[in-house]
Amino acid sequence: MEQFEKYGAFIAMGTNLGDKAQNLKQALSLIEAKGNKVVLKSYIYETKPYGMIEQPDFYNAIIGVLTPYKPLALLNVLKTIEIEMGREKTEKWGPRIIDLDIILYGDIQIDSDQLKIPHPDFRNRDFVLRPLKEIARMIVDPVSEKTVGELYESLEQDRCQKVAML
């Protein structure tokens, strides 16, 4: 059997169309089916929309994965899953059946047109920090050099409501 290195990443999952809990579970299954090992799962949280507020509330969760993919390849896998699940490109921050974003990938920092790691706005989003704190409180953001717990504590508000297990 061929050996390969596995990398650790945290992926944010969000949905606000259809059966939201089932969308997250289907995305989780597809992520695993593509060779990633899910090692950490947050609860599912219901949150208010971010950016464009005139739309249904979201269900959000975070997973920690061991992945054989380097960052850009992992991004391509996640975008393929979004398409397989029926996501259509609409307006920025608009309704979606599934949204999968790489939040952190080890201590790597990438700033390209295709990919930004850490995710550029994760430090300001309760729907990312609350579930991330739940599973990775002591992980350090390589940009701010603060732990996820410290970043969460600096949030002005947390509007997340725990819904169910992922």
Side-chain angles (χ1 to χ4, degrees), residues 4-20:
F4 56 87
E5 189 171 355
K6 289 195 175 186
Y7 306 90
F10 290 94
I11 299 169
M13 304 167 45
T15 177
N16 72 337
L17 297 175
D19 185 335
K20 296 183 272 194

Side-chain angles (χ1 to χ4, degrees), residues 1 4 6 9 11 14 19 22 27 31-32 41 46 56 92 99 102-103 119 124 139-140 144-146 151 157 160 164:
M1 176 183 252
F4 56 87
K6 289 195 175 186
I11 299 169
D19 185 335
Q22 184 56 39
I31 288 167
E32 288 185 311
K41 297 186 295 188
E46 185 171 40
K92 184 175 182 177
D99 185 29
I102 302 168
I103 301 301
H119 191 283
N124 303 314
I139 294 294
V140 175
S144 70
E145 298 183 349
K146 293 182 179 179
L151 292 170
Q157 65 178 346
C160 301

Side-chain angles (χ1 to χ4, degrees), residues 67-110:
T67 181
Y69 302 104
K70 292 191 176 176
L72 195 52
L74 179 59
L75 175 67
N76 290 333
V77 166
L78 298 178
K79 295 306 167 199
T80 298
I81 291 169
E82 290 178 349
I83 292 166
E84 288 173 3
M85 289 184 62
R87 178 165 180 187
E88 297 174 2
K89 283 289 183 189
T90 59
E91 58 212 309
K92 184 175 182 177
W93 295 323
R96 63 207 62 188
I97 194 157
I98 195 69
D99 185 29
L100 302 171
D101 291 319
I102 302 168
I103 301 301
L104 295 164
Y105 188 107
D107 60 359
I108 290 175
Q109 295 181 51
I110 298 173

Side-chain angles (χ1 to χ4, degrees), residues 16-166:
N16 72 337
L17 297 175
D19 185 335
K20 296 183 272 194
Q22 184 56 39
N23 292 345
L24 294 177
K25 290 174 182 175
Q26 181 182 356
L28 181 72
S29 293
L30 290 169
I31 288 167
E32 288 185 311
K34 303 237 186 254
N36 301 286
K37 180 175 177 55
V38 176
V39 294
L40 297 167
K41 297 186 295 188
S42 75
Y43 278 90
I44 297 170
Y45 290 88
E46 185 171 40
T47 61
K48 297 292 179 197
Y50 183 86
M52 189 179 121
I53 60 172
E54 295 299 322
Q55 60 180 317
D57 288 351
F58 278 81
Y59 275 15
N60 294 97
I62 299 277
I63 57 173
V65 300
L66 293 177
T67 181
Y69 302 104
K70 292 191 176 176
L72 195 52
L74 179 59
L75 175 67
N76 290 333
V77 166
L78 298 178
K79 295 306 167 199
T80 298
I81 291 169
E82 290 178 349
I83 292 166
E84 288 173 3
M85 289 184 62
R87 178 165 180 187
E88 297 174 2
K89 283 289 183 189
T90 59
E91 58 212 309
K92 184 175 182 177
W93 295 323
R96 63 207 62 188
I97 194 157
I98 195 69
D99 185 29
L100 302 171
D101 291 319
I102 302 168
I103 301 301
L104 295 164
Y105 188 107
D107 60 359
I108 290 175
Q109 295 181 51
I110 298 173
D111 188 1
S112 73
D113 291 341
Q114 293 177 290
L115 180 61
K116 295 184 186 326
I117 297 177
H119 191 283
D121 202 27
F122 91 96
R123 295 166 202 88
N124 303 314
R125 296 179 177 184
D126 57 348
F127 59 89
V128 173
L129 285 175
R130 172 87 175 270
L132 186 58
K133 173 189 72 112
E134 177 187 322
I135 62 172
R137 176 180 206 82
M138 298 308 294
I139 294 294
V140 175
D141 167 24
V143 173
S144 70
E145 298 183 349
K146 293 182 179 179
T147 67
V148 168
E150 290 169 332
L151 292 170
Y152 174 79
E153 294 303 323
S154 69
L155 278 178
E156 290 187 21
Q157 65 178 346
D158 176 351
R159 304 163 299 143
C160 301
Q161 297 297 318
K162 193 181 286 187
V163 173
M165 293 182 70
L166 180 57

